[in-house]
Amino acid sequence: MKSIFLMWVFACTSFLSFGQIITVVDDLSGKPVELAIFTSEKHTSGEFTNHLGQINSALFEAESWVVVRSIGYQTVRIELSTLMEAEYIIRLKRGDISLDQVIISASRFNQSSRDIPSKVSSITSRDIELMNPQTAADVLGSTGEVFIQKSQQGGGSPMIRGFATNRLLYAVDGVRMNTAIFRAGNIQNVINLDPFATESVEILFGPGAVLYGSDAIGGVMSFQTLIPEFSLNDKPVILGSALVRTSSANKELTGHFDVNVGWKKWALVSSFSSFAYGDLRMGSHGPDEYLRPNYVKRIDEVDVVVTNDDPLVQTPSGYGQINFMQKVRYSPNEHWDFQYALHYSTTTSYSRYDRLQRTKNGLPRYGEWNYGPQRWIMNQLTVQHHGYNNFYDEMVFRAAYQNFEESRMDRNFNASDRSIRIENVGALSFNMDFSKTLSQKNRLFYGMEGIWDDVESLGMQEDVITDVVTEGPSRYPQATWSSLGAYANFQRRFSDQWLLQAGARYSRFHQQAEFDTTFYPFPYTNATIKNGGLTGSLGLSCFPSEKWTFRINASTGLRSPNVDDSGKVFDSEPGYVLVPNIDLKAEYAYNFEVGLASIIGEVVKVDLTGYYTKLDNALVRRNFTFNGLDSIMYDGVPSQVQAVQNAALATVYGVQFGLAVELPSGFGCSADLNYQKGEEELDDGSVSPSRHAAPFFGIARLSYKHDALRLVLYSSFSGKKAFKDLPEEEKTKQEIYAVDQNGNPWSPSWVTLNVKASYDLNDFFTIGAGLENITDLRYRPYSSGIVAPGRNVVLSLQARF
């Protein structure tokens, strides 16, 4: 009897040592569950299943149990000794209602969402596939928790909790995307990311400065791109997909292709996408102020105002884009993992549509206003090591070099001089992040980061009649911006019901700039800004039961002034010019939030978060003097001098509400609602509504799933911004707003009805279809320069192999 027992124990453990393949499948359909994550007492960061739902058990050879999680399924804990009886197959039961998801962005390592004291949302590749968004900005907007502003069709500037632009942080595969010229005005860098090459997106709400440093005040948007997949046997694994898509509102023609080739120790993935968008058509029913009755056309060296054949078509607004990604992965054993990645993205030139709507003396102010190609290149090396030594269990090292190029070309109506400004930023960075389980109840995350940005700025003047190009003023000084920081984040589990998380980070910042006095008589030729800052967070999570989670979190964030803040010369709006200010300090954010999440009766999930953020020493535009003058000539126009200054106190408070209900027969409904109110101190001591505090907005959905069909009927909506509720700086932008009965600009409320569907014809082909803005409403999201698409038919065909 004793010998039989010993043989059974040997059999239950030997399959782990020799690497038995474990397969995770859907309990109803029997189809494999891709990207299910396995965690254990030792492997707290976890490992993912491949496209066949498979994982090698050798990764858990010293473990007795694993926990398996996947979005859309119930979490299960499996005793490894029972897998032999189940033929190494784990069947997951469907369940969209869960408080337990795997989150990476909150610690740079895999964590359960229940253990995170702040709000985090995630978007999966399946979500992206169903919603079929055109850009990465649209991916964020599809959550109903991020408001998207667009100055032109080639745009997309997220607003989160009353903050935007350089007060939000973007990360790609764990690498910071923000540069030294991220501006306070709306930006569109997020469109450089390819939705088709995106595996998942996480949105960390509130300050994330402990992990991410400067700029992470309103939130962090973390994009994970496709990861090369290994083969688990001696045969190479080859898989991929191809897709074509068209949309009616902008006559879109999109194509995508990706392929993965994997062996046991080597794997690579390639991705290529091409996007072509024509001029965007707006809806038929809405404010007449949004119409485009005419536009400027250059005829025989003369700018001519021509009648638009269709005032619903926003001419010119079309553009194109190409994305390419190549990754190579090598894993010599279960302890080491090396990845190299190349990302490349470029757009065509495209018009800044909001500027083209400005007028002067009854005529268009500009004959042209274009952004040049927006290019982004990133070379990245990632090294991951499972050491399980005295210093760390897991280490991740990331080194990256990014190059950003953007340019602006504008010319006044019937003027011959075209102003050209070209910016190039080289960004070198490294991150080292460590995770260490100190005991059953204590876990430590720590690391360091270094960033070096080199800014080159060039200005030219071109005579469009003679084609003569001369030197002109640049937008920025030649400058460098650098940061060094170190952090630690400690997690203490007092019991099964209480968890404390505390973190701190110290960062040093250095900026050096050289000013050219050829065109502007700056009172200085060199400037240096040095500062440092300590940020921290303290959060508590409480789990009274498996169906309840309470969280409370206090955190701070900072934004060190960058080159755009201190050195830019730019006409911010008609009659105003922004000049450099080298006497700047970091702005600080103080945030407090409470939240709860509950599952009611196994079929209802409620998530509620309230927050309050105070921004002290805020960097804002205010009236200034230049060489003792409060006004100067800029581009031939008398202009009030302004500069970015530490001159304001700003506050934002709000509520985020989420509801999900699982209905019978494959139906479900959900909603995400956001209310925020922000105020900013003005020079005279009065307050103005905050520019980036969006009106009340959200999404409500009714979904259906059955076998190969997925369907969602949803409504997107936004509240109004009456004239009295507009920020003071927005009240001057009459060209982008509707007009109320008193002749004042305002932003009307809007509601759209939309439907999206995805149907798997077989294992190889999927049809995607959608009808957006069914009622053909003419609306412009708050602060946007371009009107949203009218009724839009979307069709796609995807092939998998």
Side-chain angles (χ1 to χ4, degrees):
M1 185 69 182
K2 182 178 179 179
S3 61
I4 294 176
F5 174 76
L6 291 175
M7 290 177 62
W8 180 83
V9 172
F10 175 77
C12 289
T13 57
S14 62
F15 85 92
L16 297 172
S17 301
F18 289 102
Q20 179 67 40
I21 302 302
I22 303 173
T23 303
V24 181
V25 299
D26 183 290
D27 184 49
L28 294 178
S29 67
K31 292 183 177 181
V33 178
E34 184 180 5
L35 296 178
I37 184 169
F38 281 57
T39 57
S40 63
E41 184 175 3
K42 182 178 179 182
H43 284 74
T44 52
S45 293
E47 301 289 343
F48 290 93
T49 57
N50 63 12
H51 73 290
L52 296 176
Q54 297 176 338
I55 193 169
N56 195 328
S57 64
L59 297 169
F60 306 95
E61 59 183 347
E63 306 287 353
S64 59
W65 54 265
V66 293
V67 174
V68 185
R69 298 180 177 91
S70 183
I71 294 178
Y73 293 92
Q74 298 178 15
T75 300
V76 296
R77 172 173 166 148
I78 303 291
E79 298 295 328
L80 292 176
S81 59
T82 66
L83 281 177
M84 286 186 63
E85 301 174 7
E87 299 179 342
Y88 315 121
I89 296 176
I90 298 176
R91 301 183 182 276
L92 295 186
K93 294 182 178 180
R94 295 181 183 180
D96 291 328
I97 308 300
S98 174
L99 299 179
D100 189 14
Q101 297 181 5
V102 175
I103 299 297
I104 298 174
S105 59
S107 67
R108 290 187 177 270
F109 295 94
N110 292 328
Q111 271 187 287
S112 169
S113 57
R114 285 171 60 88
D115 295 344
I116 301 169
S118 54
K119 179 176 173 59
V120 184
S121 294
S122 59
I123 310 167
T124 69
S125 57
R126 292 280 286 172
D127 298 329
I128 297 173
E129 180 183 298
L130 175 61
M131 297 306 293
N132 238 339
Q134 290 190 343
T135 70
D138 297 331
V139 171
L140 296 169
S142 68
T143 63
E145 297 176 305
V146 179
F147 192 90
I148 302 297
Q149 181 276 351
K150 293 186 179 183
S151 297
Q152 62 281 326
Q153 189 176 189
S157 188
M159 297 183 184
I160 299 177
R161 287 190 175 183
F163 296 100
T165 60
N166 54 16
R167 291 180 179 134
L168 301 176
L169 190 130
Y170 304 80
V172 183
D173 294 343
V175 175
R176 173 193 181 95
M177 195 181 188
N178 294 44
T179 73
I181 63 171
F182 265 40
R183 57 191 180 273
N186 299 305
I187 61 175
Q188 56 267 358
N189 298 74
V190 72
I191 71 169
N192 278 121
L193 305 179
D194 184 359
F196 295 117
T198 300
E199 199 159 87
S200 64
V201 184
E202 293 177 358
I203 306 165
L204 174 63
F205 295 89
V210 169
L211 293 175
Y212 295 94
S214 179
D215 302 1
I217 288 179
V220 176
M221 294 157 285
S222 178
F223 293 79
Q224 175 61 58
T225 60
L226 298 175
I227 300 173
E229 183 177 310
F230 294 116
S231 173
L232 296 181
N233 53 44
D234 294 328
K235 295 181 180 180
V237 57
I238 301 175
L239 61 132
S241 67
L243 178 142
V244 291
R245 184 178 66 200
T246 184
S247 301
S248 62
N250 56 3
K251 299 181 180 178
E252 175 199 14
L253 292 175
T254 287
H256 167 77
F257 176 81
D258 66 77
V259 61
N260 182 105
V261 180
W263 297 268
K264 276 192 170 183
K265 295 185 177 182
W266 288 89
L268 58 87
V269 63
S270 304
S271 173
F272 177 82
S273 299
S274 174
F275 307 87
Y277 307 114
D279 292 338
L280 183 63
R281 180 192 178 278
M282 67 181 79
S284 302
H285 314 293
D288 289 342
E289 294 86 7
Y290 295 168
L291 294 173
R292 182 69 162 161
N294 50 58
Y295 60 93
V296 177
K297 189 174 183 180
R298 189 80 171 166
I299 301 175
D300 295 329
E301 306 297 340
V302 176
D303 291 332
V304 179
V305 179
V306 299
T307 300
N308 193 353
D309 292 336
D310 185 351
L312 298 180
V313 176
Q314 301 173 83
T315 304
S317 59
Y319 79 105
Q321 182 170 326
I322 289 176
N323 282 76
F324 173 74
M325 183 189 74
Q326 178 65 60
K327 287 189 177 183
V328 180
R329 185 180 180 189
Y330 172 64
S331 181
N333 51 52
E334 64 270 21
H335 299 293
W336 289 95
D337 194 305
F338 301 83
Q339 284 192 56
Y340 165 76
L342 168 65
H343 297 265
Y344 175 78
S345 173
T346 184
T347 68
T348 62
S349 298
Y350 51 91
S351 298
R352 180 162 175 181
Y353 186 77
D354 61 337
R355 291 296 176 95
L356 295 180
Q357 298 173 84
R358 289 183 176 175
T359 59
K360 182 179 180 181
N361 299 325
L363 292 172
R365 180 181 177 188
Y366 296 103
E368 59 180 278
W369 211 118
N370 297 316
Y371 283 113
Q374 180 174 285
R375 297 190 179 97
W376 169 61
I377 302 173
M378 180 168 76
N379 288 274
Q380 179 189 3
L381 174 66
T382 302
V383 180
Q384 185 174 5
H385 182 231
H386 293 86
Y388 302 106
N389 52 45
N390 292 331
F391 300 100
Y392 61 86
D393 297 331
E394 185 177 355
M395 178 275 294
V396 180
F397 170 76
R398 299 178 180 92
Y401 178 77
Q402 301 177 79
N403 183 266
F404 301 81
E405 182 180 307
E406 58 185 53
S407 55
R408 295 160 177 81
M409 296 156 284
D410 65 88
R411 183 178 54 81
N412 289 334
F413 186 74
N414 268 327
S416 60
D417 284 342
R418 174 189 291 147
S419 297
I420 302 173
R421 291 172 175 85
I422 303 173
E423 279 68 58
N424 189 287
V425 180
L428 179 67
S429 64
F430 80 87
N431 299 81
M432 292 192 72
D433 300 290
F434 304 88
S435 169
K436 177 63 180 176
T437 301
L438 304 175
S439 67
Q440 190 174 3
K441 294 185 176 182
N442 300 318
R443 192 178 179 189
L444 178 66
F445 307 97
Y446 64 100
M448 61 194 73
E449 179 184 58
I451 304 164
W452 294 267
D453 284 6
D454 185 24
V455 179
E456 295 182 358
S457 187
L458 177 66
M460 295 180 291
Q461 297 295 124
E462 179 184 10
D463 190 308
V464 297
I465 296 177
T466 65
D467 293 330
V468 174
V469 178
T470 58
E471 185 180 1
S474 63
R475 179 178 171 89
Y476 298 112
Q478 311 308 306
T480 59
W481 185 93
S482 61
S483 170
L484 286 173
Y487 76 91
N489 213 3
F490 176 72
Q491 190 179 87
R492 166 71 175 178
R493 191 178 298 276
F494 294 104
S495 67
D496 291 339
Q497 287 78 39
W498 293 94
L499 183 142
L500 177 73
Q501 187 163 292
R505 177 190 181 109
Y506 183 76
S507 300
R508 289 292 301 173
F509 305 98
H510 181 270
Q511 184 182 153
Q512 182 73 37
E514 297 180 3
F515 291 88
D516 184 356
T517 58
T518 303
F519 299 97
Y520 301 111
F522 296 117
Y524 38 75
T525 56
N526 290 278
T528 300
I529 298 177
K530 295 181 180 180
N531 55 64
L534 180 68
T535 55
S537 64
L538 180 64
L540 186 67
S541 299
C542 175
F543 329 106
S545 70
E546 289 294 321
K547 296 184 179 182
W548 280 93
T549 297
F550 295 94
R551 57 183 185 271
I552 183 170
N553 190 53
S555 57
T556 63
L558 66 77
R559 187 175 74 84
S560 177
N562 62 19
V563 177
D564 185 87
D565 296 311
S566 63
K568 179 170 64 176
V569 178
F570 174 63
D571 59 330
S572 55
E573 55 188 69
Y576 293 87
V577 61
L578 199 66
V579 301
N581 180 10
I582 60 175
D583 297 318
L584 295 179
K585 301 177 181 179
E587 57 183 8
Y588 272 83
Y590 303 89
N591 178 76
F592 179 77
E593 67 179 82
V594 294
L596 65 87
S598 175
I599 293 178
I600 304 171
E602 305 293 342
V603 295
V604 178
K605 176 183 175 181
V606 177
D607 193 319
L608 180 65
T609 303
Y611 60 89
Y612 176 86
T613 305
K614 172 185 172 183
L615 186 65
D616 194 18
N617 237 8
L619 292 163
V620 293
R621 288 200 302 258
R622 291 289 184 265
N623 289 343
F624 199 61
T625 60
F626 183 75
N627 289 333
L629 301 175
D630 60 7
S631 297
I632 61 174
M633 294 295 292
Y634 183 80
D635 278 352
V637 178
S639 301
Q640 166 70 52
V641 174
Q642 292 188 327
V644 173
Q645 303 172 56
N646 295 105
L649 175 70
T651 59
V652 181
Y653 61 89
V655 176
Q656 295 174 281
F657 175 76
L659 173 69
V661 182
E662 196 173 279
L663 301 173
S665 304
F667 285 94
C669 63
S670 63
D672 289 285
L673 310 177
N674 306 267
Y675 172 80
Q676 49 278 309
K677 184 176 178 63
E679 292 182 337
E680 181 181 297
E681 184 182 17
L682 298 179
D683 277 344
D684 60 3
S686 62
V687 295
S688 168
S690 174
R691 177 186 177 188
H692 292 132
F696 172 77
F697 74 96
I699 293 180
R701 314 169 188 87
L702 176 65
S703 60
Y704 176 73
K705 299 177 184 178
H706 179 71
D707 294 337
L709 176 65
R710 289 186 299 152
L711 182 72
V712 59
L713 175 69
Y714 65 98
S715 175
S716 300
F717 46 86
S718 171
K720 68 178 181 179
K721 282 264 190 179
F723 175 73
K724 64 180 180 61
D725 298 321
L726 284 179
E728 290 302 312
E729 59 189 298
E730 291 295 298
K731 291 179 180 179
T732 63
K733 303 175 183 177
Q734 298 199 15
E735 69 274 6
I736 68 172
Y737 287 104
V739 177
D740 65 18
Q741 59 185 5
N742 297 316
N744 294 319
W746 74 302
S747 180
S749 60
W750 50 267
V751 178
T752 66
L753 187 64
N754 319 267
V755 63
K756 295 287 179 67
S758 174
Y759 183 74
D760 296 328
L761 296 173
N762 50 43
D763 290 338
F764 304 102
F765 292 97
T766 298
I767 292 177
L771 182 58
E772 299 173 338
N773 194 358
I774 295 173
T775 61
D776 205 26
L777 181 70
R778 185 187 310 142
Y779 70 101
R780 179 180 263 146
Y782 163 70
S783 192
S784 291
I786 195 164
V787 184
R791 185 181 295 118
N792 186 31
V793 178
V794 183
L795 294 173
S796 67
L797 176 64
Q798 182 182 26
R800 293 180 295 272
F801 58 90

